[in-house]
Structures are given as structure tokens and as C-alpha cells.
Amino acid sequence: MAEAFWSTDTGEAVYRSRDPVRNLRLRVHLQRITSSSFLHYQPAAQLGKDLIDLATFRPHPTASGHRPDEDEEEEVVIGWQEKLFSQFEVDLYQNEAACQSPLDHQYRQEILKLENSGGRKNRRIFTYTDSDRYTNLEEHCQKMTTAASEVPSFLVERMANVRRRRQDKRGMEGSILKSRIVTWEPSEEFIKNNHVINTPLQTMYIMADLGPYGKLGYKKYEHVLCTLKVDSNGVITVKPDFTGLKGPYRIETEGEKQELWRYTIDNVSSLAQPEEEEREQRVFKDLYGRHKEYLNSLVGTDFEMTVPGALRLFVNGEVVSAQGYEYDNLYVHFFVELPSTNWSSPAFQQLSGITQTCATKSLGMDKVAYFSYPFTFEASFLHEDESSDALPEWPVLYCEVLSLDFWQRYRVEGYGAVMLPATPGSHTLTVSTWRPMELGTVAELKRFFIGGSLELEDLSYVRIPGTFKGKRLSRFGLRTETTGSVTFRLHCLQQSRAFMESSSLRKRMRSVLDRLEGFSQQSSIHNVLEAFRRARRRMQEARESLPQDLVSPSGTMVS
């Protein structure tokens, strides 16, 4: 009779349902595996004249017609918060003196009606609802750990006194905008109510009385088959989980006569009819429409839209840090250069900034200065050229790193530039810098003792100056030295009507953005090639400064 396998996973499972919880139906099947009634069975064909029929020792039916072998198996379908009385409750509430609360008197009337109508149909399986006294005691006595002898801490005792129950008076509290977000002088009652999670919660226990025949109604034989918890958000917690395709659960009773029981829990809730599903979808559609209107009312009609064919770029940036520089007390001068064609910015917009002077700290082998300097700007791009050959340009961020010492001597530590990301989102950019240098020790001595060094008159010369109109820009003769790097964190937002329009303008603007992305990739490749050229130039200078006996005719160093 025993199953080939058992389900040992008795952990809880969490479900979420949009349907009312009152539609929940569970089928619980309970069966005894090791039964003493098997000892009373003997086939009639094996009975001899000299043998006493063991069936004569079987207990006789009771006055209500109930036989003990009927206790071997039971199946009950239970609804949410449906009350099924146990034998203990039947015996208790029949005594009117034991009824103290209004709920006790209500249970007494229900039990009397059941007795008049032929008695209760359930024998061993019963329930404790959210209003029963057992729910309070179970929540108060639950353990926090798996220790055999657990001593509850002060926090556990205080938490046990806070019951998470449905509070109708506070049902709309979460949807009301509170005027006071911060309570500067909270009272003890306020702390008690807000210190713990107080999500409205209802609990239900499905129990089983596993006592032997004739001893039903004793508390020591009660066992929890399943625990159900439902909160106001439609989250249903079941412990243990529904049986489904898994094996049944098992319970072994303790005491002189150990018995083995098996039980299964199945969800037998009826499926919604097509008409009900359609009506529910209409209700949700109406609800979401009202919520959308509410959100639109919060935004208002003052939301500024861009003109057709324009793209607005918002950048919230931060100068994070600078590292790898020779001197201390660094500050960064930066500015954004907009292309001369099709780009513009508001008159009040400031496209440049200077960070504070920051002392460096050692981080490994490098010295790092953390600025955390925020800045913001916006710019607009108006797409006027419809030709496919027109390649739009994108704004460029230039930076200049300087140092200032105790004697107010400043030095240029490096120049750098990077193109702003052409895609919206969060980006972290590291800009490598360089500075112009002179040959010889005199220039370095001057830089060390009195400060000052070679500077660029036009910072846009770091890339291709906006004033350059030729085809080729030559930097031949400019000697540079690689210095450190500056880290920027940029949060880019783009606004355009083309993002929500399905006309040809949207396709046109999308092609512009695609070309901008390709131009950004071309700029990245150009930066890599420039870095390789500078590295090759430094290696050539290093070989020229070495003694000739250390360099082979092929130009490589001799070990």
C-alpha cells in the first residue's frame, strides 16, 4: 500500500494571483499506511473448525454507524477560510459554559446545527481559520532557529506581539500622499507600528487528528498538514507546496504505537469561464486607463516637446577622478564643443566648468584625485540636410588637467578629449591625456622650480580644431608626453518626436542616429590609432637616447 517514493521537500511555495482568494479550493487526501485493522483480517477459506475467527474481535459499529476502518482514509475539499470543526472543538463548544467570546457562541450555534442535521462529515481533517485562537498561539510560539531548546531574544518577543492582520481602517493609507514624510519626534506607538513589516496578512491552517480510534479530540494528536497565508497584494504562500506530480507527504506519529500516514494537497480551484475572463479583462483595461489618466494629470500640459525633426540631448555628468599625474593638488577645466552646423544650446546654458582643487591619495602605484564634481547641459540638433551623404557631427568633451602647489605655481598636466556617447544611458569614459614638452633639462628645471610649461592656445587642437578648414592637419614637430587619465561618468537622455512617431520622419531620424553611432565608432578607432602612433614615437625617442653599443643595427636593444 505504501508509495514507491515520498516527497521530502516540505518548504513553502509562493504564488501570485489576481483572482479573489475566496475562489481558492484545495483537496486534501489523508490515508493511514500502517493500520492495526489489517491484523483483524483473515480470508474465510482459511478458517478451520478449530480456529477462532479473528473477525469476532473487530469493534462493532457505533451508534452513528461509524466504523473504525472508515478512519483509514479521508478526502475533503476545503475553501479559503472555511471552518471545519475538530472533535475537540465539537466537545468543547457543546458546553455553553466554555463559550466566552462572540466567536465561541457562533461556533456553538454552528455545531448544534451540524448535530441536528446528522453530524459533521469530516472526521480527522479540520481547519483553523484566521480568527481562531490557534492562529494567535502559533504565531506567538513559532521558532526563529532550528535549535531544539531555543531561548527567544528580546526582538523575537517584541515581534511576536505585532500581528500582521487585515486592518480595514488602513486600507487606503498607502494611496494617500502624506504631507509629512519625515517624523522628527516619533512616539512609542508610532515606532511600534512602523518598525516592522505590517503587510495585511491572513492565515489558515489545515489540520489532521491522527489519534487512534476512540481517542479523537486530543490536542497531542493534532498535526499541521498545510499552512496558507495570503496578503493584500494577492501573494499566496503554501507550506508545503501542492503535491502535483510529486509524491505524497508522510507523517510518522510518536508514542507507544507509531503509525505512518500519507497525505496529498491539490489545487482544485475551478477555472474561470470565458465570459468571466473577458469581463475581468475589461475591468483591468478600464483600471489601467484610469491610472494612465491619473499619471497624465500629474505630468500636466506644460511638458515641453521638441519641434519636428529635432533631437534634444540632456547630459548629467560627473568628473569622477584623475590619476597618474606627476604633481599633487589637481583640478580639471572642461568644456563641451558643439559642432558649428545644426547644433545649438540655450542662451543661459553654460558649456564649461572648473572643478575644485583636490589632493591626491595613493591607490596602489598611482595617485588618484577624487573630484565627484557634477555638471549638466543640454543641446539640440536640428536635422535639415535630407541627403544621405551628409554625416552629422556629435559634441566633443575637452578637458585640461592642471596642478597648483603651495606657492601658487600651476602646471599643465595634460590635455584630453572624448566624443559624447551617441546612445542614451549611463556611460563611464576614461580619457587619456598628454601634454606638450620641450627637449632638454632646462625646460624640466623651469617646470619644477618656477612652474609653468608649454600650453595650447586653442584647446580644440587636442582633436581637429573647429576653425580648421583644410583637408589634412599636420602635427609634425609637436613633441608630447603621455600623462594620466580622467574618468567621466555621463548619464545621457535623448528626446525627439521621432521616437514615438511612425512616419517617414522617424525613419529619417533613426538613420541620422545610426550614422552618429557609426561616426562615434570611427572616432574611437581614430583614437586607438593615435595612441599607437604616440607609443611608436616614444619608443623611437627612447632608442635614440640610448648609447649606440646597446642598440643592434636592426634597431633592437642588445641584452
Side-chain angles (χ1 to χ4, degrees):
M1 191 67 182
E3 296 289 338
F5 62 93
W6 301 91
S7 178
T8 58
D9 184 10
T10 57
E12 63 182 20
V14 180
Y15 300 90
R16 187 184 180 103
S17 175
R18 295 187 301 180
D19 294 334
V21 69
R22 63 176 179 270
N23 297 330
L24 180 63
R25 294 291 184 273
L26 301 181
R27 181 176 62 229
V28 182
H29 182 268
L30 178 67
Q31 183 180 7
R32 191 206 310 259
I33 300 301
T34 56
S35 173
S36 59
S37 63
F38 291 160
L39 300 176
H40 299 288
Y41 174 75
Q42 186 175 359
Q46 298 180 4
L47 297 178
K49 296 181 180 180
D50 300 333
L51 298 178
I52 302 177
D53 187 2
L54 295 180
T56 58
F57 295 100
R58 293 181 182 177
H60 296 284
T62 59
S64 60
H66 174 65
R67 301 182 63 90
D69 53 359
E70 296 179 6
D71 286 344
E72 303 296 330
E73 188 173 0
E74 183 177 351
E75 183 175 294
V76 178
V77 177
I78 304 173
W80 172 247
Q81 296 295 334
E82 180 181 355
K83 179 61 179 177
L84 298 180
F85 295 99
S86 64
Q87 185 63 43
F88 174 80
E89 291 175 317
V90 172
D91 298 339
L92 175 64
Y93 294 124
Q94 283 182 348
N95 183 10
E96 188 174 1
C99 300
Q100 301 177 357
S101 64
L103 183 62
D104 295 343
H105 290 281
Q106 178 184 347
Y107 283 169
R108 170 178 166 79
Q109 296 300 326
E110 294 180 2
I111 290 175
L112 292 179
K113 291 181 181 179
L114 289 176
E115 292 295 332
N116 295 333
S117 61
R120 58 191 180 97
K121 298 181 180 180
N122 60 304
R123 308 302 304 177
R124 295 185 178 273
I125 301 176
F126 62 97
T127 61
Y128 285 128
T129 62
D130 188 70
S131 304
D132 288 334
R133 191 179 298 109
Y134 177 84
T135 305
N136 303 343
L137 299 176
E138 183 68 17
E139 291 186 355
H140 183 75
C141 301
Q142 62 182 352
K143 294 184 177 181
M144 299 290 109
T145 64
T146 57
S149 57
E150 176 185 338
V151 178
S153 62
F154 173 76
L155 179 60
V156 172
E157 293 178 353
R158 294 297 297 271
M159 290 284 291
N161 296 326
V162 182
R163 299 184 58 214
R164 299 195 295 171
R165 286 290 173 265
R166 178 171 53 190
Q167 303 174 10
D168 297 333
K169 296 181 180 180
R170 300 178 58 185
M172 297 296 295
E173 182 178 353
S175 59
I176 300 177
L177 182 62
K178 299 180 180 179
S179 59
R180 292 195 310 166
I181 300 179
V182 179
T183 303
W184 298 105
E185 297 179 358
S187 60
E188 294 184 1
E189 186 68 20
F190 180 84
I191 297 176
K192 181 180 179 181
N193 294 334
N194 294 273
H195 182 64
V196 297
I197 301 175
N198 199 19
T199 306
L201 185 70
Q202 284 187 296
T203 308
M204 179 180 180
Y205 294 91
I206 301 178
M207 310 290 294
D209 189 346
L210 304 184
Y213 172 72
K215 293 185 179 181
L216 298 181
Y218 289 88
K219 282 288 186 179
K220 62 180 180 180
Y221 296 125
E222 291 184 1
H223 293 266
V224 179
L225 299 183
C226 181
T227 303
L228 299 173
K229 296 181 180 180
V230 179
D231 63 11
S232 59
N233 299 322
V235 178
I236 304 175
T237 305
V238 184
K239 182 181 180 180
D241 192 9
F242 301 127
T243 304
L245 301 178
K246 301 183 296 184
Y249 300 105
R250 58 185 294 172
I251 298 179
E252 296 182 9
T253 60
E254 300 178 355
E256 298 180 357
K257 187 177 181 182
Q258 296 183 354
E259 292 184 338
L260 179 63
W261 295 79
R262 64 183 290 275
Y263 70 95
T264 58
I265 305 171
D266 297 305
N267 180 17
V268 293
S269 303
S270 58
L271 300 178
Q273 299 296 327
E275 296 81 6
E276 296 179 356
E277 292 183 355
E278 184 178 357
R279 183 170 61 254
E280 183 181 11
Q281 292 298 328
R282 289 198 303 267
V283 171
F284 278 113
K285 184 177 180 180
D286 181 66
L287 177 62
Y288 293 150
R290 293 176 182 271
H291 185 65
K292 183 179 179 180
E293 294 177 358
Y294 170 71
L295 296 179
N296 292 335
S297 66
L298 294 179
V299 176
T301 58
D302 298 335
F303 188 77
E304 184 179 356
M305 294 294 295
T306 59
V307 297
L311 172 69
R312 181 177 295 176
L313 173 65
F314 298 89
V315 177
N316 294 321
E318 176 189 0
V319 184
V320 180
S321 62
Q323 64 178 4
Y325 293 99
E326 183 179 0
Y327 289 92
D328 200 352
N329 298 324
L330 304 175
Y331 65 96
V332 179
H333 172 221
F334 62 92
F335 70 94
V336 177
E337 182 187 41
L338 299 179
S340 57
T341 57
N342 300 335
W343 282 92
S344 62
S345 63
F348 62 87
Q349 183 66 62
Q350 186 175 1
L351 299 179
S352 62
I354 300 177
T355 67
Q356 74 279 12
T357 302
C358 181
T360 60
K361 61 181 297 185
S362 298
L363 185 65
M365 300 297 293
D366 293 331
K367 293 183 178 181
V368 185
Y370 292 98
F371 300 101
S372 299
Y373 183 85
F375 64 92
T376 181
F377 69 90
E378 67 173 278
S380 299
F381 172 77
L382 183 60
H383 183 57
E384 297 177 349
D385 193 351
E386 302 288 339
S387 62
S388 58
D389 297 333
L391 184 63
E393 299 181 4
W394 201 248
V396 179
L397 176 63
Y398 292 89
C399 64
E400 177 186 13
V401 184
L402 304 101
S403 62
L404 185 66
D405 62 9
F406 176 77
W407 302 103
Q408 299 300 311
R409 296 174 300 188
Y410 80 94
R411 304 170 180 87
V412 176
E413 300 294 336
Y415 297 97
V418 64
M419 182 176 293
L420 295 181
T423 56
S426 299
H427 307 271
T428 301
L429 307 178
T430 300
V431 183
S432 299
T433 59
W434 53 267
R435 68 177 181 89
M437 62 175 299
E438 296 180 83
L439 293 179
T441 58
V442 177
E444 293 301 318
L445 290 174
K446 179 181 177 182
R447 172 181 168 84
F448 178 80
F449 285 104
I450 64 175
S453 59
L454 293 180
E455 301 181 21
L456 295 179
E457 293 183 0
D458 184 5
L459 294 184
S460 62
Y461 192 76
V462 177
R463 294 183 74 253
I464 300 178
T467 57
F468 179 73
K469 302 301 181 180
K471 296 183 178 180
R472 295 180 179 85
L473 176 63
S474 175
R475 289 191 174 94
F476 181 76
L478 176 62
R479 295 183 177 271
T480 61
E481 178 185 9
T482 301
T483 54
S485 60
V486 182
T487 301
F488 292 91
R489 185 179 292 116
L490 304 178
H491 305 281
C492 303
L493 294 86
Q494 296 178 2
Q495 180 189 11
S496 176
R497 291 179 181 269
F499 294 148
M500 60 181 182
E501 294 178 355
S502 57
S503 60
S504 59
L505 177 62
R506 180 176 183 178
K507 298 179 181 179
R508 209 159 49 238
M509 180 60 70
R510 180 176 299 175
S511 63
V512 171
L513 296 177
D514 292 340
R515 281 181 285 164
L516 287 173
E517 180 67 18
F519 185 71
S520 177
Q521 294 175 0
Q522 294 176 9
S523 175
S524 301
I525 297 174
H526 175 73
N527 293 336
V528 172
L529 295 178
E530 286 292 329
F532 279 127
R533 293 191 188 101
R534 289 196 299 268
R536 189 180 300 110
R537 189 182 305 115
R538 289 195 301 271
M539 292 178 61
Q540 182 66 27
E541 294 174 356
R543 283 197 297 267
E544 293 175 359
S545 62
L546 290 175
Q548 295 299 323
D549 55 348
L550 296 180
V551 181
S552 64
S554 60
T556 59
M557 295 181 61
V558 179
S559 58

